[in-house]
Amino acid sequence: MKIRYLGHSAFQIKTEKHEILIDPFIDDNPVSPIKSKDVKPDFIILTHAHSDHLGDSIKIGTRDNPLFICVNELAEWLKTKGLNAHNMHIGGSREFDFGKVKFTIAHHGSSTPDGRYAGEPAGVILNINGKTLYHTGDTGLFYDMKLIGEMNNIDYLFIPIGDNFTMGIDDAVKAVEFINPKVVIPIHYNTFGIIEANPQLFKEKVEANGFKCYVMKFGEEIEV
Ligand code: NI
Ligand code: MN
């Protein structure tokens, strides 16, 4: 499969048969090299409803009719916009045509652009083509990451380092120790001035602890 990082928390995953987007903040994302017209998802996974994650969901959803996968309250809100959504919640997992999705806790908030409570924010663990990906969503550091690491053999961990709204570098370095992934990829930084962070500093600190870090360029695609 191919994993393309669109900057911020947004990813485009392509398997042989499906295109999956995570947190498709694209058109207003100053660091995304592509626009929403360049994607055609079969599925959209949302960690929470803040505008830098919900992004172009309504526009893309209305155009391409993908299946949204997210927590119940947000799924119900998407349905009021005429979109197709599958309701899940934290701790729950389910097999879809492309692979398995499980929602985890995340310590953060979540509200829709019209100011409604959108359920709890989440992280997501995906099992696709034999690989396990953990996208933490927006979150602070929490000790249950240790449990998540014990119960899942994480191949790729996507973790925020931008501070202010989420973990900063030092907390993210500790999170990597807890989760024990094969490779960590930093996200949610340098999109805006308020979340400026140096991914090379994160990489140095993580690698000093014996973990492997790969800094994806905004727009870069990797084959895994
Ligand atoms: Ni957020
Ligand atoms: Mn965010």
Side-chain angles (χ1 to χ4, degrees), residues 8-9 48 50 52-53 108 138 165-166 188:
H8 207 59
S9 282
H48 64 296
H50 287 156
D52 59 317
H53 298 259
H108 193 64
D138 281 0
F165 301 112
T166 66
H188 211 272

